[in-house]
Amino acid sequence: MAKRTSKPAPAADRIIDVDVDGEMRSSFLEYAYSVIYSRALPDARDGLKPVQRRILFQMSEMGLRPDRGHVKSARVVGEVMGRLHPHGDSAIYDALVRMAQPFTLRLPFIDGHGNFGSLDDGPAAMRYTECRLAPSALSMTADIDEDVVDLVPNYDGREFEPEVLPAAFPALLVNGAAGIAVGMATSMAPHNLGEVVAAARHLVLHPDADLDALLRFVPGPDLPAGGLIVGLDGIREAYATGRGSFRMRATTRIEQVTPRRRGIVVTELPWGVGPERVIERIKDLVNAKKLQGISDIVDLTDGEHGLRLVIELAPSVNPDAMLLQLQKMTPLEENFTVNAVALVDGEPKTLGLREQLQVFVEHRRSVVRRRSAYRRLRAEQRLHLVEGLLIAIVDIDEVIEVIRSSDDAGMARERLMSIFDLTTEQATYILDMPLRRLTKFSRIELETERDELSGRIESLTTILEDDEVLRGVIADELLAVAEQHATPRRTILLEDSGAAVRAEDLSLELPDSPCHVLLAGTGLIARTATAELGEGGSRGSHDAIVAHTTSTGRGEIALVTSLGRAVRIPVHDLPILPTTAHAPSLAGGAPLGAFLDLAAGERVVGLLDVTDPPAVALLGTAGGTVKRTAVEGPPTRTAWDLIALADGDEVVGAVEATNEDDIVLITSDAQALRFPAQAVRPQGRSAAGMAGIRLQPGAQVVYCGAVPGDAVDPVIVTVTGSSDALPGTATGTVKISSLDDIPLKGRGTGGVRCHRFLRGEDHIHLAWCGVGPVMAASPSGAPLEINFSPSKRDASGLPVPGVIAALAGPVRLEAP
């Protein structure tokens, strides 16, 4: 009969009642501690999270130095995950990528090769990218094999990893930190290495230094992307308490992005903000009609010139008001909150600037002391062996005989120790040494090494025993790191005055303020920002202003061409030039071709204001005709005719003229005529004008202008040439004479001679009349000095310093 068995009943003592509330608290605390200590928060000593520290240590162990070749990132990730970091490969690779991005860290630790991403795009997969240590990482791991930090078991207890890296500079301050733990978070801004090292050196040499003393070296964060920081009070609060905030602002400037459009050019963005994020936000605001006046936004960023984000504005938009709106409504301005939480002795603490530097300095004291003790011990061990060699080398033959006559190594060791009074280590070293190495030693070399070792031991002992010497070593090493890795500051710090202009206080409409419109001899046109214009405007360092008129920011002007056309253009389409104390420079102007289409041989001969009431213009033609007419065109047309020209005739001058002015005409055969402007009655647009000067056969008018009747010491400037010379190459002579020498005559009469030709000269090709001083410009716009004293009316000229392409006087205009 088979034996029957029964299933044992569950024992009551195998069921344990657990308080759910207590279990949850205990488990959550263990999880929170693991996240805080092992993942999310950096150590205040080396400024690294565990995964970052393990990556740098493992890459150092793999020999991936800056002078070695790159290796696949996947290989590094695999080694770190298999030996040190018990988490997924994605977390390791993400940390590796961030340490290689120059826009993330102020001083990257990894030199990446391949696509390591951007602020808007992620990196390529780890199998495609390659990496090696950056030079700065060597300063983080230097001397790690000299017992400078404690080694702790890895996650499976089979290997060891450093508890902290030696860190030759305050990486926590230099690169900042960001992390979210359980119940706490850290957010720290990057700083300039040179400034942080200077503050650390000051604290090393002056342990009692307070926060104010350190702030002289560290004025504020220095972000990898540059830009502006606004609000230094918040920075000081963060340095004092570990908590504070400041505003990061993009670096922008207002430019003439096209000949007819102005725009806001962004060259630096706040830290962590990418151009695509800004573009997307602006487009959303424009589509929602919350932002008006933006015509286009273009990203011209490239690897050679860096960030360049161009925001084109409508012509009638006030750029300053638009910039304020963009800063308020888009990521062009971001707030950064400082929460300086880091691990100190394994506990999270909120640290101010002085506390962070103090923790680092104490860490460096420990590193330097342990390194010095290690090196002294190694030097003492080597000195002990050298002293044994010096004893043995005196009678090397007897040493060899003792060894040969011994039965075994133990006997040989005992006999060497007893005969030569050696220690066990010295005798063992001699026994282990191959005979061939004895040829390398000499008594002098060993004595020299002994003396060097003794000096090194003494120096290291001084460092260990004298605290002032120890501080000096730390300070010197910090200075060496700064000299090797420091770069100039990128971020500009601005005080928050509290009285900044708000976006609501400025109108988006371009202000209708008075301005001047200027035309240069090289064909560039521009306007000034205000009605103010310095004395001697045409005496600038480049170009000559051959025509000008007054208008307003929302007014209109007319460009008069040699075919008698007037072309209307809005003033707000013209580029704005900065007005200096001396003169405006037209180098930033726009070419005339951007505003009107000119026919072959057609050129612009004058600028006229068409604002109500319209100006009265004086037109003079090459055929000797003059006309005064109101510059008033049809409201529906942008171009119209001002004069009916005869066949083959063209307009040579167009200026505003009143009844009190004198009209001056200068011909190619050196005849000058001066008569009152009131002798020319105003006519309609379709009229052909009236006789101005009687011309000799083959002659033509080369200049027509108006001079105020009360002008002080007006002059006439004439430049001669030869008809045989190619256009733009003749130099000829130039002459300055007083306009008072030209008598007033009637309209339609012949003039008087104003220039006597020399041999080789047969015509006047350029002339000007007005109040000096006179400026001449070459075809490129470079100034030419012609400050000659006035000569007689019919005298000959003086040699020209170069080819003169334009003549002009100073621009002295009163506010419109």
Side-chain angles (χ1 to χ4, degrees), residues 256 258-260 519-520 522-526 559 569 573-575 586-596 598 604:
Q256 197 76 27
T258 68
R260 306 191 70 163
L519 176 63
T522 51
L524 298 177
I525 187 171
L559 300 174
I569 61 173
D573 278 2
L574 301 175
L586 264 71
L592 289 168
F595 304 96
L596 75 167
L598 297 174
V604 174

Side-chain angles (χ1 to χ4, degrees), residues 431-504:
L431 286 174
D432 292 341
M433 182 187 302
L435 287 176
R436 56 185 172 82
R437 291 189 58 189
L438 294 176
T439 59
K440 296 177 54 179
F441 293 111
S442 70
R443 185 181 185 87
I444 296 177
E445 291 176 349
L446 289 173
E447 289 177 348
T448 302
E449 184 179 2
R450 180 194 59 189
D451 296 340
E452 291 177 354
L453 290 170
S454 299
R456 188 184 309 169
I457 293 171
E458 183 180 355
S459 175
L460 292 171
T461 302
T462 304
I463 294 175
L464 292 170
E465 296 179 353
D466 191 330
D467 190 66
E468 185 174 350
V469 175
L470 175 64
R471 292 199 303 269
V473 171
I474 298 173
D476 291 342
E477 291 180 354
L478 283 170
L479 181 60
V481 170
E483 292 175 348
Q484 184 177 4
H485 302 299
T487 56
R489 166 171 280 274
R490 300 175 186 173
T491 302
I492 299 175
L493 304 176
L494 299 176
E495 287 280 3
D496 190 359
S497 63
V501 179
R502 299 181 304 170
E504 299 82 3

Side-chain angles (χ1 to χ4, degrees), residues 543-622:
D543 220 328
I545 300 172
V546 296
H548 50 73
T549 187
T550 58
S551 187
T552 62
R554 296 204 296 269
E556 293 180 329
I557 63 164
L559 300 174
V560 182
T561 75
S562 57
L563 297 184
R565 294 193 305 144
V567 182
R568 180 180 10 228
I569 61 173
V571 173
H572 58 61
D573 278 2
L574 301 175
I576 297 179
L577 298 175
T579 302
T580 65
H582 301 288
S585 171
L586 264 71
L592 289 168
F595 304 96
L596 75 167
D597 295 325
L598 297 174
E602 186 180 15
R603 67 186 189 280
V604 174
V605 296
L607 298 178
L608 299 173
D609 186 24
V610 294
T611 309
D612 235 5
V616 177
L618 166 69
L619 305 178
T621 73

Side-chain angles (χ1 to χ4, degrees), residues 521-550:
T522 51
L524 298 177
I525 187 171
R527 63 185 170 104
T528 59
T530 65
E532 300 296 327
L533 196 61
E535 286 289 321
S538 66
R539 303 294 294 177
S541 60
H542 189 80
D543 220 328
I545 300 172
V546 296
H548 50 73
T549 187
T550 58

Side-chain angles (χ1 to χ4, degrees), residues 680-711:
V680 183
R681 70 180 186 279
Q683 296 176 304
R685 290 190 295 109
S686 60
M690 56 189 68
I693 186 173
R694 187 173 64 249
L695 296 174
Q696 297 297 320
Q700 62 180 4
V701 176
V702 296
Y703 174 80
C704 173
V707 179
D710 57 353

Side-chain angles (χ1 to χ4, degrees), residues 66-82:
D67 55 352
R68 307 283 178 85
H70 294 81
V71 301
K72 288 290 185 180
S73 300
R75 178 182 171 188
V76 175
V77 172
E79 290 286 337
V80 173
M81 183 171 59

Side-chain angles (χ1 to χ4, degrees), residues 6-16:
S6 61
K7 187 177 181 180
D13 57 354
R14 295 175 62 185
I15 300 176
I16 303 174

